[in-house]
Amino acid sequence: MIEFIMVNPKQNITDEYLRKKMSEFFRKYNCKIIHNNEELGFLVNSKIKLPFSQSKEDALENQIEVIVDAEIKSYEKVKQLEIKITCTNEADAFKGIEKLKFNLKDEFLEDWYDCIWLSDTQSSHLSEKLYLKIHKLENLFREIVNRIMISNYGHDWWGNLTSYKIRSKYIERGKDFSAQVPSFKGVNDKLLAVEVDDLIAIMKHKVKKVKPENFNEFIDAYESLSIKGSIDEIIKKYKNLGNLVANRLYTEVDLSKNVFLEYFDVEFERSWKSLRIGRNHIAHNKLLDSAGAKKIYSDIENIEKYLIDLKEGLESEPSREQIEYEHDMESYYYYEESQKSIIEAEAGITIYNENEIIKQFEDLVNPFINAFTDEFYFRQDLEIGIEEIHDFVQSLEIIRIEREWEDKILTVSADMEIDEEQISTLTLTIYINEEEELKERIEFQNGQAYYDEDKGYYLPLAYENLDESSFNEFKSELTKIIGIEFTDYVSELNYEQGKAYKDGGAEVLADFSCEECGNETISLDGDVFPYGKCATCGCEHTNIKSCMKCEYIHNGNLEGNIGLCDSCYERYMEE
């Protein structure tokens, strides 16, 4: 059952409004009225047969009776319209009812300012089915991560290789769990209990240690805290101790680099981020239609196949010995890092090594690359490939956009030049069919200092700085170029279709699905997009027919007979 309310009418609602509106709607969409019950024009109860079948094989929908109740009520002298759609066989008529409810909503929005959705068993049914599949998928992901960690670090890896934040969260949640489910007391359920986002954090966790050098400095800094002084002096002492620790931290274990990159590639992480959009949509109880559900289901299927194959591989390989993660650092490395810390402290600068400079560029560009796919998540007419920047790159293609039916490819390449002594650059270039369209240089100035003989310490020569303004300009230009080179014809057709509904013009979009991709984006307006061509996949439909009697436009390959649509042909045969 679907229920929604139209509120805040744009005009005065007459006694005849509802009866006339519903009659026009049923006639406009070729609905066969079986029974009508009207009371004073304010209550319309109609039993109809749906005209929205997708093919002759789906003609069952035409045999299913749907009841549409529409009633105008008043609340504090303000009128509102309540609409209820019910069907005894809703599953069999799923597609037809979905189109019916959206068409009803769009039709009444011409006369009312707001539409409030009350209940929708179709949307709930889609969400319930997908939620169960996502729940199963997340638990499979947890199982695989647990197997990998136990294989590499033993069963007690949790205490040594997870962050304090995640461990604390598990302990806090475990209190309520133990109270509610005492039967599982004593069971190690840590990965089953953490959120999936925390699971990703575990896979990227880095274990930090402090270099054991110049330990007297720590003792002096700690003991200085007991000496009384002004607030500013005390704050300065705490900052000094914090800086001592921060400057001597190094990464002892990088789980992403040392372990998980062997099992999960960048493409998997990108696919998982894509699924999170749909997963959060369902988890937050947002409305869902069949097109959105189809996209989420596709993401689930792709990831599930990847994880099942990975699990089979893990189960077939022999256990590996526990990996040693303590590394001896060469004395030269300690000396260089110590000298660097002195220069930075005296000159008030930060000196980045090659990897750290590359990380600056990564942190600037990679979030944009990932957000780029989210921005175009529902542009099904585009095929988008992305590649994050990792380590030093030369001519790396980070973005690729193409459209199946169009002989055009847009790519973005990245090139780095790293100079630890002066200025490093990241050059981003946009190509259209391998022809250069735009080039932008992003510069990073490393910190530099010189030793002042007279003062006896280091002074700044140049402060570290990343030129983000050039990158912001590049992003803006890229968006403009995509809008020009890859026109969003689906949006344009939907816009013109809305105008047609409002002004009573000719249909702009066909009322049937594309034979190739299944989307309802077939153009009927050659001024916007070629007639009969699907704006999503480019498939051309050459057998589009108009019913000689009701002028209903349909796919002649799938329905119709002797120049009539299925509904008119059925009435013709009955006569």
Side-chain angles (χ1 to χ4, degrees), residues 50-51 56-57 111 226 268 277 326 382 388 402 544 564 574:
L50 298 173
K56 292 183 177 179
E57 287 73 17
D111 304 328
S226 62
F268 173 83
I277 298 174
E326 293 188 11
L382 299 181
E388 290 186 352
E402 53 187 321
I544 296 177
L564 300 175
E574 290 175 354

Side-chain angles (χ1 to χ4, degrees), residues 534-575:
C534 176
T536 297
C537 70
C539 177
E540 296 185 1
H541 300 74
T542 58
N543 194 20
I544 296 177
K545 302 293 185 181
S546 177
C547 178
M548 293 188 300
K549 186 173 183 181
C550 70
E551 297 184 349
Y552 173 61
I553 298 175
H554 55 278
N555 188 345
N557 292 335
L558 301 178
E559 67 171 296
N561 204 331
I562 64 170
L564 300 175
C565 67
D566 285 353
S567 296
C568 290
Y569 179 74
E570 180 181 347
R571 288 195 290 270
Y572 169 78
M573 295 301 293
E574 290 175 354
E575 293 171 358

Side-chain angles (χ1 to χ4, degrees), residues 367-384:
F368 161 71
I369 295 174
N370 287 304
F372 185 82
T373 55
D374 295 343
E375 180 181 352
F376 292 94
Y377 184 78
F378 290 106
R379 278 290 301 271
Q380 296 186 49
D381 59 315
L382 299 181
E383 295 181 14
I384 300 176

Side-chain angles (χ1 to χ4, degrees), residues 441-453:
R441 283 166 53 92
I442 302 165
E443 296 184 347
F444 175 79
Q445 169 68 62
N446 205 357
Q448 293 178 284
Y450 69 96
Y451 185 77
D452 190 309
E453 296 286 350

Side-chain angles (χ1 to χ4, degrees), residues 5 28 47 76 96 102 117 428 509 513:
I5 298 177
K28 180 177 180 180
K47 184 182 291 185
E76 295 184 353
F102 290 143
W117 221 255
L428 299 176
L509 281 169
S513 301

Side-chain angles (χ1 to χ4, degrees), residues 174-381:
K175 296 175 183 177
D176 295 334
F177 176 78
S178 299
Q180 295 294 326
V181 193
S183 302
F184 282 95
K185 183 178 180 181
V187 172
N188 186 333
D189 66 333
K190 293 181 174 64
L191 279 199
L192 287 174
V194 301
E195 297 176 359
V196 175
D197 287 345
D198 290 336
L199 195 66
I200 299 293
I202 290 173
M203 295 168 62
K204 294 184 175 183
H205 183 58
K206 295 179 181 180
V207 178
K208 301 282 188 178
K209 290 293 180 69
V210 179
K211 302 169 190 173
E213 62 178 15
N214 298 329
F215 199 71
N216 288 334
E217 290 186 55
F218 287 95
I219 297 174
D220 293 342
Y222 175 75
E223 291 180 348
S224 70
L225 299 177
S226 62
I227 300 175
K228 295 181 179 180
S230 65
I231 295 297
D232 290 341
E233 289 174 337
I234 293 174
I235 292 174
K236 185 177 180 180
K237 292 174 183 178
Y238 274 102
K239 285 185 176 179
N240 181 46
L241 181 58
N243 289 334
L244 282 174
V245 174
N247 289 335
R248 286 164 175 75
L249 285 177
Y250 71 97
T251 300
E252 186 180 45
V253 179
D254 184 339
L255 290 179
S256 175
K257 183 177 181 181
N258 297 348
V259 179
F260 287 103
L261 278 180
E262 179 182 346
Y263 303 97
F264 299 99
D265 56 21
V266 176
E267 183 62 35
F268 173 83
E269 183 178 355
R270 193 153 44 238
S271 298
W272 190 266
K273 286 181 180 178
S274 174
L275 176 62
R276 283 181 71 246
I277 298 174
R279 187 255 189 206
N280 291 337
H281 188 99
I282 294 171
H284 295 151
N285 200 32
K286 294 182 179 179
L287 292 169
L288 188 65
D289 61 11
S290 56
K294 181 180 177 182
K295 168 63 177 170
I296 298 171
Y297 184 82
S298 176
D299 288 342
I300 293 173
E301 290 290 294
N302 292 336
I303 295 175
E304 185 177 44
K305 182 180 185 306
Y306 186 99
L307 292 178
I308 289 174
D309 292 343
L310 179 56
K311 180 182 176 181
E312 291 175 353
L314 289 172
E315 291 174 342
S316 64
E317 69 180 21
S319 298
R320 294 178 293 175
E321 294 182 356
Q322 184 174 344
I323 301 173
E324 293 291 333
Y325 55 84
E326 293 188 11
H327 303 285
D328 294 329
M329 305 300 293
E330 297 181 2
S331 59
Y332 177 74
Y333 171 78
Y334 288 122
Y335 172 77
E336 287 290 302
E337 288 298 305
S338 177
Q339 286 297 108
K340 175 172 170 287
S341 298
I342 292 172
I343 295 171
E344 289 178 336
E346 291 182 355
I349 62 171
T350 302
I351 303 172
Y352 292 82
N353 61 32
E354 179 177 336
N355 290 332
E356 291 169 337
I357 294 173
I358 293 172
K359 186 68 164 56
Q360 289 287 309
F361 289 135
E362 289 177 358
D363 292 344
L364 178 68
V365 176
N366 286 346
F368 161 71
I369 295 174
N370 287 304
F372 185 82
T373 55
D374 295 343
E375 180 181 352
F376 292 94
Y377 184 78
F378 290 106
R379 278 290 301 271
Q380 296 186 49
D381 59 315

